[in-house]
Amino acid sequence: RGRASVRDQPSCDAPQELPDDEIDRLLGLADTPDKPCPAAAAAVARPADDVPGRGASLGEVLEGLVAASDASPEEARAVQWHLANLEYGCAASLGNVSLAWWDQDDEHTLAGDHAVVSDGFGSVVEGLAAYSEVLLQREVSLVEHGDWGARVHTKAGGEGLVADAVLVTVPLGVLKAKTVKFAPPLPRWKRSAIERLGFGPIEKVILSFERPFWDGGADFFGCLPPAAETAAEAAKARGEFFMFWNLQRSHGTAALMCVSSGAFAEGTWRHLSYKRVVDSSLAVLGRTFGPQVRQLFRKSVVTDWGRNPFCRGSYSYVGVDASGAEYDELARPVGGRLFFAGEATNGQHPATATGAYLSGLREAQRIDQAGRRGFPPAEP
């Protein structure tokens, strides 16, 4: 998984993935023969509302464990960093994530190291599009579908595009926003799955510098959040540029990709200007590396996935009132002509480009099979 460290001034080096026994110790979960852990007992005594476990949040339990622990102030800040990293994996504040189902895809985790697509995912899209006709500047407004076929209308007007079938691959955030209409409307079971699954933003800033001032051998490093007086303050601030990917190592350029997650990416980010976002990321780095950060800074690029009308977030997570079954419901076709793909339709590999790609292969096969049978109407 590459080299990593968590840093502050003074430095607090630690691997991104702490050993289980160390995490248990920091959270107060380590039992001893004469002192059973009360925090662990409380967690076990508070199951989810039902089986399979809807209604309880991962954040509620973890925050309770943190509050019950005897961690030192520095250890507590390190724990908050790891919670921010967990929010990075979920694209959500932990209070919005299902306790029972947040890791429902873990058994399907792919083996091997993480890799960076150095030329960007645009190269993947261009390769896949090389043998297809792609129409740009055609914002879809309405999808009509029925036993007769399908018609896709765009904001450009006209009679629309007629097809045998339609494959919907817009992000879950767009489906939630209902900016694309369907006629007839989506059935209740499909709308419920769209509502219950979560979809949140992960925001990033690319900072370019005259030269590196960080450990060039690390794939990434983290900066601990500042000390907070309350749990609410800690939750709000911990995701503010907590992780920095070293683009010197992957791209050969003196730049860092700064990652934000959780409440900061969901809420605070939306109220910041481009300049304030960049200033915030430089300030976080400055707490660890000093004034050289601003002296060596050259230029920046800022994402805004949460406010992008064609995304409205980054990737899906299992919400408190949802379960892993919602991924299957999102993947299920509507009628015989309307199909769905995307990471939020792949319960085995959600929130990944791999999951999105595999869902496209799945639906291509499903559409091919339906076409060979003359697109028979689906069972209601």
Side-chain angles (χ1 to χ4, degrees), residues 292-313:
Q292 63 178 329
V293 172
R294 292 187 182 273
Q295 294 166 359
L296 296 173
F297 171 65
R298 289 297 174 262
K299 56 184 177 180
S300 61
V301 177
V302 177
T303 70
D304 200 359
W305 297 115
R307 288 186 292 194
N308 185 317
F310 303 116
C311 299
R312 300 178 184 269

Side-chain angles (χ1 to χ4, degrees), residues 259-276:
V259 180
S260 289
S261 66
F264 183 81
E266 290 172 345
T268 306
W269 187 284
R270 297 179 182 230
H271 304 292
L272 298 180
S273 65
Y274 186 111
K275 183 179 185 301
R276 287 189 63 191

